Amino acid sequence: MNEPEQIVFVIDDDPAMREALDSLLRSVGLDIRCFGSVAEFLGAPRPDIPSCLVLDVRLPGKSGMDFQKELALSDAPLPVIIMTGHGDIAMSVQAMKTGAVDFLPKPFREQDLLDAIAAALDKDRLRRAQAAELAILRERLATLSDGERSVVVLVVQGRLNKQVAGDLGVSEITVKVRRARAMRKMQAGSLAELIKMAGKLGI
């Protein structure tokens, strides 16, 4: 059996709804894992691949809205699509403010759910790609000496080599050498690229 490339998780305490969603999503080639409660979901292994969660509001134990808030605060927030048969405008506003990809009152059109799932999976793929890129940039940054890093910090602020030399109390030649080494270690092809990297690293 081939490993799935992406997974849609569903939490709904209605067995008929879970069965219907399982049938719908499998009919369009999506892998799906269904759970009757938040506790069941948390107790199951979750593959480290692009994923999203279709979450009912009314659940036994922890509610869907409370669980969505917890997920939004986690290190790797899972894109969530809220569905409910008892929703109102205030609830939908709250869900969207907390980062829900969509809020679908039951009954909803199948295509609306499929569109929301596609958007949620794209969002998770983008988050994963950005996290991987940031990890690589942090690894490169860690290879810089303290002197090289100091030069980078000032250069990306727009300081000229001569000004950086004055700020750090070193010669302009030393600044040029450290700057060239830093550019090479960061694999930055231009100052614009280095500034872009620094922005992603928060320096």
Side-chain angles (χ1 to χ4, degrees):
M1 182 177 176
N2 294 331
E3 292 295 321
E5 296 180 354
Q6 56 189 14
I7 289 183
V8 179
F9 297 105
V10 172
I11 305 179
D12 194 311
D13 62 341
D14 181 352
M17 189 66 183
R18 294 199 301 271
E19 186 176 342
L21 292 177
D22 186 88
S23 176
L24 170 64
L25 270 58
R26 290 189 188 283
S27 73
V28 295
L30 289 169
D31 283 283
I32 177 172
R33 305 282 188 277
C34 292
F35 305 92
S37 67
V38 170
E40 282 183 24
F41 172 77
L42 292 175
R46 194 190 316 172
D48 187 18
I49 58 176
S51 314
C52 70
L53 173 62
V54 180
L55 180 63
D56 191 29
V57 170
R58 288 193 175 180
L59 294 169
K62 186 173 294 181
S63 76
M65 298 297 285
D66 287 342
F67 187 48
Q68 186 208 0
K69 290 177 188 173
E70 289 183 14
L71 284 174
L73 296 174
S74 67
D75 293 335
L78 190 63
V80 173
I81 299 158
I82 296 287
M83 59 180 178
T84 180
H86 309 279
D88 53 29
I89 293 176
M91 188 182 291
S92 66
V93 169
Q94 181 185 348
M96 301 307 283
K97 279 186 175 178
T98 314
V101 175
D102 210 336
F103 185 92
L104 300 175
K106 295 177 181 175
F108 45 77
R109 291 193 322 134
E110 292 181 351
Q111 191 58 51
D112 289 343
L113 175 62
L114 294 176
D115 290 346
I117 287 173
L121 290 172
D122 284 346
K123 183 177 181 179
D124 199 41
R125 272 191 286 272
L126 177 61
R127 178 190 65 77
R128 288 169 177 274
Q130 290 173 335
E133 181 187 14
L134 185 58
I136 290 172
L137 291 178
R138 284 175 174 161
E139 287 179 6
R140 293 176 187 170
L141 184 66
T143 66
L144 269 57
S145 68
D146 290 343
E148 291 162 354
R149 185 168 179 150
S150 296
V151 168
V152 168
V153 169
L154 293 171
V155 165
V156 299
Q157 289 175 358
R159 305 286 284 170
L160 302 175
N161 287 343
K162 187 174 182 179
Q163 294 172 317
V164 174
D167 291 343
L168 298 179
V170 298
S171 70
E172 194 171 345
I173 292 177
T174 297
V175 171
K176 289 180 179 177
V177 170
R178 289 178 181 176
R179 178 173 171 167
R181 286 178 180 165
M183 294 278 288
R184 186 168 59 253
K185 289 181 179 178
M186 292 300 293
Q187 299 182 31
S190 64
L191 177 59
E193 192 175 350
L194 183 66
I195 292 172
K196 195 173 178 181
M197 291 177 177
K200 292 177 180 177
L201 287 163
I203 61 176

